[in-house]
Amino acid sequence: PTARIIEDLGFDVVDLNCGCPVDKVTKDGSGSGMLKNPELIGEVIANMVAAVNIPVTVKIRAGWDDKSINASLITMIAEQAGARAISIHGRTRQQKYTGKANWDHIKVAKKAAVSIKVIGNGDVFDAQAGLALFKHT
């Protein structure tokens, strides 16, 4: 598996990127296209965790679009699959890089987490915004 190659190269962690919103990536279900199939994300993470001894993390967006916000569900699935951390971008795939990140989605996902570390992402361009995100969530 690719995760084992990453580990063999000496990396400290391997990250599954389910956040890329670019059409050429999502058209085959990769990147944020995986947000449409949370169970598959869990299966991939579980296989990665079984294949390596380094921590496995995952990066997602809030959901595919405003009608399918599923960051908290994916947080629970990722945790059950053995991921050690999840980075959640507050925008949906539909938003791509436009509009405002909704930190409320990160906050809800953080509440759903038991032991997985939740990392907030989106509209953090300086230390002040980072502190605001931390306080919000």
PDB file of all heavy atoms in Angstrom, residues 91-129:
ATOM      1  N   ARG A  91     -15.212  25.189   4.722  1.00  0.00           N
ATOM      2  CA  ARG A  91     -15.957  25.372   3.475  1.00  0.00           C
ATOM      3  C   ARG A  91     -16.377  24.018   2.918  1.00  0.00           C
ATOM      4  O   ARG A  91     -15.774  23.001   3.216  1.00  0.00           O
ATOM      5  CB  ARG A  91     -15.100  26.081   2.419  1.00  0.00           C
ATOM      6  CG  ARG A  91     -14.869  27.529   2.663  1.00  0.00           C
ATOM      7  CD  ARG A  91     -14.138  28.177   1.466  1.00  0.00           C
ATOM      8  NE  ARG A  91     -13.815  29.547   1.776  1.00  0.00           N
ATOM      9  CZ  ARG A  91     -12.727  29.939   2.442  1.00  0.00           C
ATOM     10  NH1 ARG A  91     -11.843  29.055   2.850  1.00  0.00           N
ATOM     11  NH2 ARG A  91     -12.520  31.217   2.679  1.00  0.00           N
ATOM     12  N   THR A  92     -17.390  24.033   2.070  1.00  0.00           N
ATOM     13  CA  THR A  92     -17.811  22.818   1.373  1.00  0.00           C
ATOM     14  C   THR A  92     -17.025  22.687   0.076  1.00  0.00           C
ATOM     15  O   THR A  92     -16.365  23.633  -0.375  1.00  0.00           O
ATOM     16  CB  THR A  92     -19.311  22.872   1.021  1.00  0.00           C
ATOM     17  OG1 THR A  92     -19.534  23.946   0.108  1.00  0.00           O
ATOM     18  CG2 THR A  92     -20.167  23.035   2.270  1.00  0.00           C
ATOM     19  N   ARG A  93     -17.148  21.540  -0.536  1.00  0.00           N
ATOM     20  CA  ARG A  93     -16.509  21.340  -1.842  1.00  0.00           C
ATOM     21  C   ARG A  93     -17.115  22.301  -2.856  1.00  0.00           C
ATOM     22  O   ARG A  93     -16.416  22.859  -3.685  1.00  0.00           O
ATOM     23  CB  ARG A  93     -16.693  19.892  -2.290  1.00  0.00           C
ATOM     24  CG  ARG A  93     -15.953  19.560  -3.584  1.00  0.00           C
ATOM     25  CD  ARG A  93     -16.703  19.962  -4.802  1.00  0.00           C
ATOM     26  NE  ARG A  93     -15.903  19.706  -5.999  1.00  0.00           N
ATOM     27  CZ  ARG A  93     -16.311  20.003  -7.197  1.00  0.00           C
ATOM     28  NH1 ARG A  93     -17.476  20.578  -7.392  1.00  0.00           N
ATOM     29  NH2 ARG A  93     -15.543  19.745  -8.239  1.00  0.00           N
ATOM     30  N   GLN A  94     -18.418  22.509  -2.774  1.00  0.00           N
ATOM     31  CA  GLN A  94     -19.090  23.397  -3.722  1.00  0.00           C
ATOM     32  C   GLN A  94     -18.526  24.814  -3.645  1.00  0.00           C
ATOM     33  O   GLN A  94     -18.399  25.489  -4.661  1.00  0.00           O
ATOM     34  CB  GLN A  94     -20.592  23.404  -3.439  1.00  0.00           C
ATOM     35  CG  GLN A  94     -21.406  24.207  -4.430  1.00  0.00           C
ATOM     36  CD  GLN A  94     -22.891  24.155  -4.108  1.00  0.00           C
ATOM     37  OE1 GLN A  94     -23.283  24.286  -2.959  1.00  0.00           O
ATOM     38  NE2 GLN A  94     -23.708  23.950  -5.126  1.00  0.00           N
ATOM     39  N   GLN A  95     -18.153  25.262  -2.465  1.00  0.00           N
ATOM     40  CA  GLN A  95     -17.585  26.596  -2.291  1.00  0.00           C
ATOM     41  C   GLN A  95     -16.184  26.701  -2.867  1.00  0.00           C
ATOM     42  O   GLN A  95     -15.733  27.800  -3.179  1.00  0.00           O
ATOM     43  CB  GLN A  95     -17.503  26.958  -0.801  1.00  0.00           C
ATOM     44  CG  GLN A  95     -18.809  27.299  -0.160  1.00  0.00           C
ATOM     45  CD  GLN A  95     -18.598  27.633   1.298  1.00  0.00           C
ATOM     46  OE1 GLN A  95     -18.469  26.731   2.126  1.00  0.00           O
ATOM     47  NE2 GLN A  95     -18.537  28.916   1.620  1.00  0.00           N
ATOM     48  N   LYS A  96     -15.498  25.581  -2.964  1.00  0.00           N
ATOM     49  CA  LYS A  96     -14.090  25.550  -3.368  1.00  0.00           C
ATOM     50  C   LYS A  96     -13.294  26.538  -2.520  1.00  0.00           C
ATOM     51  O   LYS A  96     -13.134  26.340  -1.338  1.00  0.00           O
ATOM     52  CB  LYS A  96     -13.942  25.793  -4.862  1.00  0.00           C
ATOM     53  CG  LYS A  96     -14.573  24.668  -5.675  1.00  0.00           C
ATOM     54  CD  LYS A  96     -14.307  24.800  -7.134  1.00  0.00           C
ATOM     55  CE  LYS A  96     -14.958  23.620  -7.857  1.00  0.00           C
ATOM     56  NZ  LYS A  96     -14.912  23.765  -9.273  1.00  0.00           N
ATOM     57  N   TYR A  97     -12.808  27.615  -3.117  1.00  0.00           N
ATOM     58  CA  TYR A  97     -11.976  28.581  -2.385  1.00  0.00           C
ATOM     59  C   TYR A  97     -12.680  29.931  -2.227  1.00  0.00           C
ATOM     60  O   TYR A  97     -12.041  30.937  -1.978  1.00  0.00           O
ATOM     61  CB  TYR A  97     -10.641  28.767  -3.107  1.00  0.00           C
ATOM     62  CG  TYR A  97      -9.892  27.472  -3.269  1.00  0.00           C
ATOM     63  CD1 TYR A  97      -9.831  26.832  -4.504  1.00  0.00           C
ATOM     64  CD2 TYR A  97      -9.270  26.859  -2.188  1.00  0.00           C
ATOM     65  CE1 TYR A  97      -9.152  25.632  -4.652  1.00  0.00           C
ATOM     66  CE2 TYR A  97      -8.596  25.656  -2.327  1.00  0.00           C
ATOM     67  CZ  TYR A  97      -8.541  25.056  -3.567  1.00  0.00           C
ATOM     68  OH  TYR A  97      -7.882  23.865  -3.704  1.00  0.00           O
ATOM     69  N   THR A  98     -14.013  29.934  -2.361  1.00  0.00           N
ATOM     70  CA  THR A  98     -14.760  31.186  -2.288  1.00  0.00           C
ATOM     71  C   THR A  98     -15.669  31.185  -1.067  1.00  0.00           C
ATOM     72  O   THR A  98     -15.923  30.154  -0.455  1.00  0.00           O
ATOM     73  CB  THR A  98     -15.617  31.393  -3.552  1.00  0.00           C
ATOM     74  OG1 THR A  98     -16.586  30.344  -3.630  1.00  0.00           O
ATOM     75  CG2 THR A  98     -14.762  31.396  -4.803  1.00  0.00           C
ATOM     76  N   GLY A  99     -16.177  32.351  -0.734  1.00  0.00           N
ATOM     77  CA  GLY A  99     -17.093  32.460   0.394  1.00  0.00           C
ATOM     78  C   GLY A  99     -16.359  32.337   1.719  1.00  0.00           C
ATOM     79  O   GLY A  99     -15.140  32.202   1.779  1.00  0.00           O
ATOM     80  N   LYS A 100     -17.120  32.381   2.767  1.00  0.00           N
ATOM     81  CA  LYS A 100     -16.565  32.347   4.120  1.00  0.00           C
ATOM     82  C   LYS A 100     -16.606  30.920   4.674  1.00  0.00           C
ATOM     83  O   LYS A 100     -17.566  30.197   4.478  1.00  0.00           O
ATOM     84  CB  LYS A 100     -17.383  33.284   5.011  1.00  0.00           C
ATOM     85  CG  LYS A 100     -16.822  33.489   6.396  1.00  0.00           C
ATOM     86  CD  LYS A 100     -17.497  34.680   7.052  1.00  0.00           C
ATOM     87  CE  LYS A 100     -17.149  34.834   8.500  1.00  0.00           C
ATOM     88  NZ  LYS A 100     -15.764  34.683   8.865  1.00  0.00           N
ATOM     89  N   ALA A 101     -15.547  30.542   5.364  1.00  0.00           N
ATOM     90  CA  ALA A 101     -15.528  29.241   6.045  1.00  0.00           C
ATOM     91  C   ALA A 101     -16.492  29.291   7.229  1.00  0.00           C
ATOM     92  O   ALA A 101     -16.539  30.277   7.958  1.00  0.00           O
ATOM     93  CB  ALA A 101     -14.119  28.915   6.524  1.00  0.00           C
ATOM     94  N   ASN A 102     -17.255  28.238   7.408  1.00  0.00           N
ATOM     95  CA  ASN A 102     -18.215  28.160   8.512  1.00  0.00           C
ATOM     96  C   ASN A 102     -17.597  27.346   9.645  1.00  0.00           C
ATOM     97  O   ASN A 102     -17.589  26.114   9.613  1.00  0.00           O
ATOM     98  CB  ASN A 102     -19.523  27.530   8.030  1.00  0.00           C
ATOM     99  CG  ASN A 102     -20.601  27.571   9.074  1.00  0.00           C
ATOM    100  OD1 ASN A 102     -20.337  27.628  10.273  1.00  0.00           O
ATOM    101  ND2 ASN A 102     -21.845  27.529   8.629  1.00  0.00           N
ATOM    102  N   TRP A 103     -17.090  28.043  10.629  1.00  0.00           N
ATOM    103  CA  TRP A 103     -16.424  27.387  11.758  1.00  0.00           C
ATOM    104  C   TRP A 103     -17.398  26.600  12.634  1.00  0.00           C
ATOM    105  O   TRP A 103     -16.984  25.756  13.416  1.00  0.00           O
ATOM    106  CB  TRP A 103     -15.667  28.407  12.586  1.00  0.00           C
ATOM    107  CG  TRP A 103     -14.513  29.043  11.878  1.00  0.00           C
ATOM    108  CD1 TRP A 103     -13.935  28.653  10.690  1.00  0.00           C
ATOM    109  CD2 TRP A 103     -13.758  30.167  12.322  1.00  0.00           C
ATOM    110  NE1 TRP A 103     -12.889  29.478  10.372  1.00  0.00           N
ATOM    111  CE2 TRP A 103     -12.753  30.419  11.354  1.00  0.00           C
ATOM    112  CE3 TRP A 103     -13.839  30.991  13.434  1.00  0.00           C
ATOM    113  CZ2 TRP A 103     -11.843  31.454  11.486  1.00  0.00           C
ATOM    114  CZ3 TRP A 103     -12.927  32.024  13.561  1.00  0.00           C
ATOM    115  CH2 TRP A 103     -11.937  32.250  12.591  1.00  0.00           C
ATOM    116  N   ASP A 104     -18.703  26.854  12.494  1.00  0.00           N
ATOM    117  CA  ASP A 104     -19.689  26.088  13.265  1.00  0.00           C
ATOM    118  C   ASP A 104     -19.615  24.601  12.923  1.00  0.00           C
ATOM    119  O   ASP A 104     -19.821  23.750  13.792  1.00  0.00           O
ATOM    120  CB  ASP A 104     -21.108  26.599  13.018  1.00  0.00           C
ATOM    121  CG  ASP A 104     -21.372  27.948  13.661  1.00  0.00           C
ATOM    122  OD1 ASP A 104     -20.641  28.317  14.610  1.00  0.00           O
ATOM    123  OD2 ASP A 104     -22.305  28.641  13.216  1.00  0.00           O
ATOM    124  N   HIS A 105     -19.319  24.278  11.663  1.00  0.00           N
ATOM    125  CA  HIS A 105     -19.210  22.873  11.259  1.00  0.00           C
ATOM    126  C   HIS A 105     -18.040  22.198  11.977  1.00  0.00           C
ATOM    127  O   HIS A 105     -18.123  21.027  12.356  1.00  0.00           O
ATOM    128  CB  HIS A 105     -19.047  22.746   9.750  1.00  0.00           C
ATOM    129  CG  HIS A 105     -20.189  23.323   8.974  1.00  0.00           C
ATOM    130  ND1 HIS A 105     -21.506  23.066   9.265  1.00  0.00           N
ATOM    131  CD2 HIS A 105     -20.202  24.165   7.909  1.00  0.00           C
ATOM    132  CE1 HIS A 105     -22.285  23.709   8.420  1.00  0.00           C
ATOM    133  NE2 HIS A 105     -21.519  24.386   7.595  1.00  0.00           N
ATOM    134  N   ILE A 106     -16.965  22.941  12.173  1.00  0.00           N
ATOM    135  CA  ILE A 106     -15.802  22.416  12.895  1.00  0.00           C
ATOM    136  C   ILE A 106     -16.175  22.209  14.364  1.00  0.00           C
ATOM    137  O   ILE A 106     -15.832  21.186  14.971  1.00  0.00           O
ATOM    138  CB  ILE A 106     -14.604  23.368  12.747  1.00  0.00           C
ATOM    139  CG1 ILE A 106     -14.243  23.539  11.263  1.00  0.00           C
ATOM    140  CG2 ILE A 106     -13.404  22.875  13.553  1.00  0.00           C
ATOM    141  CD1 ILE A 106     -13.314  24.697  10.969  1.00  0.00           C
ATOM    142  N   LYS A 107     -16.899  23.161  14.909  1.00  0.00           N
ATOM    143  CA  LYS A 107     -17.321  23.084  16.317  1.00  0.00           C
ATOM    144  C   LYS A 107     -18.185  21.845  16.565  1.00  0.00           C
ATOM    145  O   LYS A 107     -17.991  21.126  17.552  1.00  0.00           O
ATOM    146  CB  LYS A 107     -18.094  24.357  16.680  1.00  0.00           C
ATOM    147  CG  LYS A 107     -18.503  24.457  18.124  1.00  0.00           C
ATOM    148  CD  LYS A 107     -19.186  25.794  18.377  1.00  0.00           C
ATOM    149  CE  LYS A 107     -19.460  26.022  19.839  1.00  0.00           C
ATOM    150  NZ  LYS A 107     -19.998  27.364  20.081  1.00  0.00           N
ATOM    151  N   VAL A 108     -19.133  21.567  15.683  1.00  0.00           N
ATOM    152  CA  VAL A 108     -20.008  20.399  15.819  1.00  0.00           C
ATOM    153  C   VAL A 108     -19.194  19.112  15.710  1.00  0.00           C
ATOM    154  O   VAL A 108     -19.406  18.168  16.474  1.00  0.00           O
ATOM    155  CB  VAL A 108     -21.140  20.445  14.768  1.00  0.00           C
ATOM    156  CG1 VAL A 108     -21.934  19.144  14.751  1.00  0.00           C
ATOM    157  CG2 VAL A 108     -22.064  21.623  15.029  1.00  0.00           C
ATOM    158  N   ALA A 109     -18.249  19.076  14.775  1.00  0.00           N
ATOM    159  CA  ALA A 109     -17.413  17.889  14.613  1.00  0.00           C
ATOM    160  C   ALA A 109     -16.546  17.669  15.852  1.00  0.00           C
ATOM    161  O   ALA A 109     -16.351  16.529  16.285  1.00  0.00           O
ATOM    162  CB  ALA A 109     -16.545  18.015  13.370  1.00  0.00           C
ATOM    163  N   LYS A 110     -16.059  18.749  16.427  1.00  0.00           N
ATOM    164  CA  LYS A 110     -15.234  18.634  17.642  1.00  0.00           C
ATOM    165  C   LYS A 110     -16.045  18.023  18.781  1.00  0.00           C
ATOM    166  O   LYS A 110     -15.540  17.205  19.546  1.00  0.00           O
ATOM    167  CB  LYS A 110     -14.695  20.010  18.025  1.00  0.00           C
ATOM    168  CG  LYS A 110     -13.693  19.977  19.155  1.00  0.00           C
ATOM    169  CD  LYS A 110     -13.115  21.352  19.403  1.00  0.00           C
ATOM    170  CE  LYS A 110     -12.250  21.360  20.635  1.00  0.00           C
ATOM    171  NZ  LYS A 110     -11.786  22.705  20.975  1.00  0.00           N
ATOM    172  N   LYS A 111     -17.309  18.388  18.868  1.00  0.00           N
ATOM    173  CA  LYS A 111     -18.180  17.816  19.905  1.00  0.00           C
ATOM    174  C   LYS A 111     -18.429  16.327  19.673  1.00  0.00           C
ATOM    175  O   LYS A 111     -18.657  15.576  20.618  1.00  0.00           O
ATOM    176  CB  LYS A 111     -19.508  18.566  19.957  1.00  0.00           C
ATOM    177  CG  LYS A 111     -19.386  19.948  20.569  1.00  0.00           C
ATOM    178  CD  LYS A 111     -20.726  20.655  20.609  1.00  0.00           C
ATOM    179  CE  LYS A 111     -20.572  22.048  21.201  1.00  0.00           C
ATOM    180  NZ  LYS A 111     -21.816  22.813  21.163  1.00  0.00           N
ATOM    181  N   ALA A 112     -18.405  15.899  18.406  1.00  0.00           N
ATOM    182  CA  ALA A 112     -18.626  14.490  18.072  1.00  0.00           C
ATOM    183  C   ALA A 112     -17.399  13.636  18.348  1.00  0.00           C
ATOM    184  O   ALA A 112     -17.509  12.422  18.487  1.00  0.00           O
ATOM    185  CB  ALA A 112     -19.023  14.357  16.598  1.00  0.00           C
ATOM    186  N   ALA A 113     -16.242  14.265  18.445  1.00  0.00           N
ATOM    187  CA  ALA A 113     -14.984  13.543  18.660  1.00  0.00           C
ATOM    188  C   ALA A 113     -14.860  13.087  20.108  1.00  0.00           C
ATOM    189  O   ALA A 113     -15.233  13.813  21.029  1.00  0.00           O
ATOM    190  CB  ALA A 113     -13.809  14.439  18.292  1.00  0.00           C
ATOM    191  N   VAL A 114     -14.316  11.899  20.308  1.00  0.00           N
ATOM    192  CA  VAL A 114     -14.037  11.394  21.646  1.00  0.00           C
ATOM    193  C   VAL A 114     -12.549  11.554  21.935  1.00  0.00           C
ATOM    194  O   VAL A 114     -12.162  12.219  22.885  1.00  0.00           O
ATOM    195  CB  VAL A 114     -14.471   9.918  21.797  1.00  0.00           C
ATOM    196  CG1 VAL A 114     -14.091   9.379  23.160  1.00  0.00           C
ATOM    197  CG2 VAL A 114     -15.972   9.779  21.553  1.00  0.00           C
ATOM    198  N   SER A 115     -11.702  10.953  21.098  1.00  0.00           N
ATOM    199  CA  SER A 115     -10.262  11.030  21.327  1.00  0.00           C
ATOM    200  C   SER A 115      -9.483  11.556  20.124  1.00  0.00           C
ATOM    201  O   SER A 115      -8.330  11.944  20.273  1.00  0.00           O
ATOM    202  CB  SER A 115      -9.717   9.653  21.720  1.00  0.00           C
ATOM    203  OG  SER A 115      -9.926   8.727  20.668  1.00  0.00           O
ATOM    204  N   ILE A 116     -10.079  11.572  18.952  1.00  0.00           N
ATOM    205  CA  ILE A 116      -9.397  12.062  17.764  1.00  0.00           C
ATOM    206  C   ILE A 116      -9.157  13.570  17.901  1.00  0.00           C
ATOM    207  O   ILE A 116     -10.020  14.291  18.409  1.00  0.00           O
ATOM    208  CB  ILE A 116     -10.202  11.728  16.482  1.00  0.00           C
ATOM    209  CG1 ILE A 116      -9.382  11.987  15.224  1.00  0.00           C
ATOM    210  CG2 ILE A 116     -11.536  12.460  16.449  1.00  0.00           C
ATOM    211  CD1 ILE A 116     -10.044  11.451  13.951  1.00  0.00           C
ATOM    212  N   LYS A 117      -7.989  14.013  17.496  1.00  0.00           N
ATOM    213  CA  LYS A 117      -7.671  15.443  17.526  1.00  0.00           C
ATOM    214  C   LYS A 117      -8.351  16.116  16.330  1.00  0.00           C
ATOM    215  O   LYS A 117      -8.264  15.621  15.211  1.00  0.00           O
ATOM    216  CB  LYS A 117      -6.163  15.684  17.455  1.00  0.00           C
ATOM    217  CG  LYS A 117      -5.381  15.024  18.571  1.00  0.00           C
ATOM    218  CD  LYS A 117      -5.778  15.554  19.912  1.00  0.00           C
ATOM    219  CE  LYS A 117      -4.953  14.892  21.010  1.00  0.00           C
ATOM    220  NZ  LYS A 117      -5.559  14.979  22.307  1.00  0.00           N
ATOM    221  N   VAL A 118      -9.026  17.238  16.569  1.00  0.00           N
ATOM    222  CA  VAL A 118      -9.720  17.978  15.520  1.00  0.00           C
ATOM    223  C   VAL A 118      -8.954  19.267  15.265  1.00  0.00           C
ATOM    224  O   VAL A 118      -8.730  20.056  16.180  1.00  0.00           O
ATOM    225  CB  VAL A 118     -11.180  18.269  15.912  1.00  0.00           C
ATOM    226  CG1 VAL A 118     -11.859  19.116  14.843  1.00  0.00           C
ATOM    227  CG2 VAL A 118     -11.941  16.970  16.140  1.00  0.00           C
ATOM    228  N   ILE A 119      -8.566  19.468  14.008  1.00  0.00           N
ATOM    229  CA  ILE A 119      -7.818  20.650  13.600  1.00  0.00           C
ATOM    230  C   ILE A 119      -8.725  21.488  12.708  1.00  0.00           C
ATOM    231  O   ILE A 119      -9.232  20.997  11.695  1.00  0.00           O
ATOM    232  CB  ILE A 119      -6.545  20.248  12.830  1.00  0.00           C
ATOM    233  CG1 ILE A 119      -5.664  19.349  13.707  1.00  0.00           C
ATOM    234  CG2 ILE A 119      -5.785  21.487  12.350  1.00  0.00           C
ATOM    235  CD1 ILE A 119      -4.622  18.557  12.948  1.00  0.00           C
ATOM    236  N   GLY A 120      -8.942  22.740  13.095  1.00  0.00           N
ATOM    237  CA  GLY A 120      -9.778  23.642  12.317  1.00  0.00           C
ATOM    238  C   GLY A 120      -8.982  24.304  11.214  1.00  0.00           C
ATOM    239  O   GLY A 120      -7.792  24.569  11.355  1.00  0.00           O
ATOM    240  N   ASN A 121      -9.663  24.586  10.100  1.00  0.00           N
ATOM    241  CA  ASN A 121      -9.007  25.143   8.930  1.00  0.00           C
ATOM    242  C   ASN A 121     -10.013  26.025   8.179  1.00  0.00           C
ATOM    243  O   ASN A 121     -11.200  25.743   8.170  1.00  0.00           O
ATOM    244  CB  ASN A 121      -8.540  23.976   8.046  1.00  0.00           C
ATOM    245  CG  ASN A 121      -7.714  24.392   6.870  1.00  0.00           C
ATOM    246  OD1 ASN A 121      -7.628  25.554   6.529  1.00  0.00           O
ATOM    247  ND2 ASN A 121      -7.103  23.417   6.229  1.00  0.00           N
ATOM    248  N   GLY A 122      -9.524  27.077   7.569  1.00  0.00           N
ATOM    249  CA  GLY A 122     -10.361  27.948   6.749  1.00  0.00           C
ATOM    250  C   GLY A 122     -10.424  29.355   7.280  1.00  0.00           C
ATOM    251  O   GLY A 122     -10.833  29.581   8.411  1.00  0.00           O
ATOM    252  N   ASP A 123      -9.991  30.305   6.480  1.00  0.00           N
ATOM    253  CA  ASP A 123      -9.990  31.731   6.816  1.00  0.00           C
ATOM    254  C   ASP A 123      -9.079  32.057   7.994  1.00  0.00           C
ATOM    255  O   ASP A 123      -9.361  32.974   8.763  1.00  0.00           O
ATOM    256  CB  ASP A 123     -11.413  32.241   7.100  1.00  0.00           C
ATOM    257  CG  ASP A 123     -12.295  32.220   5.860  1.00  0.00           C
ATOM    258  OD1 ASP A 123     -11.741  32.175   4.742  1.00  0.00           O
ATOM    259  OD2 ASP A 123     -13.520  32.246   6.001  1.00  0.00           O
ATOM    260  N   VAL A 124      -8.001  31.324   8.137  1.00  0.00           N
ATOM    261  CA  VAL A 124      -7.016  31.615   9.179  1.00  0.00           C
ATOM    262  C   VAL A 124      -5.756  32.117   8.471  1.00  0.00           C
ATOM    263  O   VAL A 124      -4.980  31.325   7.945  1.00  0.00           O
ATOM    264  CB  VAL A 124      -6.699  30.377  10.043  1.00  0.00           C
ATOM    265  CG1 VAL A 124      -5.660  30.724  11.105  1.00  0.00           C
ATOM    266  CG2 VAL A 124      -7.970  29.852  10.691  1.00  0.00           C
ATOM    267  N   PHE A 125      -5.606  33.438   8.464  1.00  0.00           N
ATOM    268  CA  PHE A 125      -4.492  34.050   7.743  1.00  0.00           C
ATOM    269  C   PHE A 125      -3.488  34.712   8.668  1.00  0.00           C
ATOM    270  O   PHE A 125      -2.462  35.209   8.224  1.00  0.00           O
ATOM    271  CB  PHE A 125      -5.017  35.083   6.732  1.00  0.00           C
ATOM    272  CG  PHE A 125      -5.928  34.473   5.706  1.00  0.00           C
ATOM    273  CD1 PHE A 125      -7.303  34.693   5.746  1.00  0.00           C
ATOM    274  CD2 PHE A 125      -5.434  33.655   4.707  1.00  0.00           C
ATOM    275  CE1 PHE A 125      -8.148  34.126   4.815  1.00  0.00           C
ATOM    276  CE2 PHE A 125      -6.273  33.076   3.768  1.00  0.00           C
ATOM    277  CZ  PHE A 125      -7.627  33.317   3.821  1.00  0.00           C
ATOM    278  N   ASP A 126      -3.797  34.744   9.961  1.00  0.00           N
ATOM    279  CA  ASP A 126      -2.873  35.338  10.919  1.00  0.00           C
ATOM    280  C   ASP A 126      -3.171  34.769  12.303  1.00  0.00           C
ATOM    281  O   ASP A 126      -4.135  34.020  12.496  1.00  0.00           O
ATOM    282  CB  ASP A 126      -2.976  36.870  10.920  1.00  0.00           C
ATOM    283  CG  ASP A 126      -4.384  37.389  11.161  1.00  0.00           C
ATOM    284  OD1 ASP A 126      -5.147  36.756  11.929  1.00  0.00           O
ATOM    285  OD2 ASP A 126      -4.727  38.447  10.608  1.00  0.00           O
ATOM    286  N   ALA A 127      -2.311  35.113  13.258  1.00  0.00           N
ATOM    287  CA  ALA A 127      -2.447  34.574  14.616  1.00  0.00           C
ATOM    288  C   ALA A 127      -3.771  34.967  15.255  1.00  0.00           C
ATOM    289  O   ALA A 127      -4.381  34.172  15.979  1.00  0.00           O
ATOM    290  CB  ALA A 127      -1.273  35.044  15.477  1.00  0.00           C
ATOM    291  N   GLN A 128      -4.229  36.173  14.980  1.00  0.00           N
ATOM    292  CA  GLN A 128      -5.489  36.644  15.564  1.00  0.00           C
ATOM    293  C   GLN A 128      -6.659  35.771  15.095  1.00  0.00           C
ATOM    294  O   GLN A 128      -7.519  35.389  15.886  1.00  0.00           O
ATOM    295  CB  GLN A 128      -5.703  38.102  15.155  1.00  0.00           C
ATOM    296  CG  GLN A 128      -6.667  38.857  16.007  1.00  0.00           C
ATOM    297  CD  GLN A 128      -6.640  40.350  15.677  1.00  0.00           C
ATOM    298  OE1 GLN A 128      -6.087  40.789  14.681  1.00  0.00           O
ATOM    299  NE2 GLN A 128      -7.264  41.136  16.532  1.00  0.00           N
ATOM    300  N   ALA A 129      -6.677  35.432  13.797  1.00  0.00           N
ATOM    301  CA  ALA A 129      -7.739  34.577  13.266  1.00  0.00           C
ATOM    302  C   ALA A 129      -7.617  33.161  13.837  1.00  0.00           C
ATOM    303  O   ALA A 129      -8.625  32.510  14.119  1.00  0.00           O
ATOM    304  CB  ALA A 129      -7.695  34.543  11.746  1.00  0.00           C
TER     305      ALA A 129
END
